[in-house]
Amino acid sequence: MKENVTIYEVGPRDGLQNEKKLIATQDKINLVDAITSCGFAKIEVTSFVSPKWVPQMSDAAEVLEGIDRKGLVTYAALTPNIEGFDRALSAQATEVAIFAAATEGFSQANINCSIEDSLARFAPVLKAAREQDIPVRGCVSCVTDCPYDGAVDPTSVVRIAKALTNMGCYEISLADTIGSGTPDQVAKMLDAVLNELPADRLAGHFHDTNGRALENIVVSLEKGLRVFDSSVGGLGGCPYAPGATGNVATEAVVDMIGNMGYETGLDLKKLSQVVTFAQSLLQKNG
Ligand code: HMG
Ligand code: MG
């Protein structure tokens, strides 16, 4: 029996949020539907953030309401505060993600508050989600390096990952936001986090700026992680992480993981059609 690895497709959110020109809502809906058809169990569709901060995500409700939902697929959205959660709930997101940072610099730049204040903002989200039976995922940005504060001490990552877990997140996605982490750094960071949290509560979220994301996934697999975030065609970047490029490409992860003997349940042929479609959307967008 092959061991399963879950690929959490974040392209419609992390992949598109950085696009300067607005992409048509119907194109975003078509992208999510095409992704659904490949067999993903988890799709991060959009984010309910301030439209002034990320205009590209201002049609979050329309996208979630327009997609063709299949079976048990999770259609998730980022929610930085209770206002975002209420909007996500109305649009019938089936999972939400709260996002914190391991550094003060990134927390201020990305969500305009300190780490402590962000945790306080997340508390009502977790309470409301519990009442509505909505699973909450936690993201920790800058797990190895920060574009504002430099190298990151793994103890800061451990502190935030534990805090989010204790608040009720079922899984923590550990993000190399600027894609500069080396396998060595990732291994040290994971060792520190794994001292406190089990591997089955963790996921890897690697941007690929320096082309080392696949190696970082291999290290994470060796440490026991079995969930990875990725983006079709390697789209994306974060508007508040200057110079960072997209997530590791889903098709490259699926290919590598398959060759390593794991099962992802994903169809590479269908996936390559989605990659072409995703790229055509961006070309069309100029
Ligand atoms: P703020 O300006 O401090 O918020 O932004 P505020 O509470 O003072 O509200 C100001 C205005 O925003 C008000 O409107 C609110 O209603 C509105 P006004 O009265 O001025 O008209 N507002 C909202 N509107 C819609 N939805 C909401 C919402 N909240 C407030 N949820 C805030 C604070 C967190 C909202 C802002 O900083 C923000 O939206 N930040 C998000 C930035 C973002 O989306 N970054 C990218 C996603 S994270 C990422 O990519 C990293 C990740 O991939 C992992 C990794 O790679 O590291 C996950
Ligand atoms: Mg990201």
Side-chain angles (χ1 to χ4, degrees), residues 75-157:
Y75 295 101
L78 294 193
T79 55
N81 51 21
I82 192 68
E83 189 170 344
F85 178 81
D86 289 342
R87 292 175 61 213
L89 188 67
S90 301
Q92 291 174 22
T94 57
E95 174 168 312
V96 298
I98 53 178
F99 47 108
T103 62
E104 291 295 344
F106 192 75
S107 185
Q108 287 292 349
N110 196 42
I111 50 175
N112 204 26
C113 64
S114 68
I115 295 172
E116 285 316 308
D117 286 351
S118 75
L119 297 178
R121 280 183 191 175
F122 298 147
V125 174
L126 279 146
K127 181 171 179 286
R130 220 172 2 252
E131 285 163 8
Q132 300 291 336
D133 218 9
I134 305 266
V136 183
R137 199 176 192 232
C139 303
V140 183
S141 287
C142 302
V143 294
T144 59
D145 301 280
C146 172
Y148 307 100
D149 297 354
V152 175
D153 185 335
T155 56
S156 311
V157 183

Side-chain angles (χ1 to χ4, degrees), residues 13-14 205 207 247:
R13 194 281 303 173
D14 209 345
H205 177 115
H207 286 260
N247 296 87

Side-chain angles (χ1 to χ4, degrees), residues 38 79 88 158:
C38 294
T79 55
V158 175

Side-chain angles (χ1 to χ4, degrees), residues 183-255:
D184 232 35
Q185 277 176 294
V186 169
K188 284 199 184 95
M189 180 275 297
L190 286 177
D191 284 342
V193 177
L194 287 164
N195 269 332
E196 300 286 341
L197 296 172
D200 65 4
R201 302 289 295 267
L202 304 174
H205 177 115
F206 297 104
H207 286 260
D208 203 20
T209 315
N210 289 353
R212 305 205 72 178
L214 289 175
E215 288 173 79
N216 290 334
I217 289 175
V218 171
V219 168
S220 308
L221 283 165
E222 284 165 6
K223 302 280 179 195
L225 274 65
R226 295 291 180 268
V227 181
F228 297 98
D229 302 353
S230 62
S231 170
V232 281
L235 307 177
C238 174
Y240 298 100
T245 62
N247 296 87
V248 64
T250 303
E251 58 279 16
V253 180
V254 170
D255 189 36

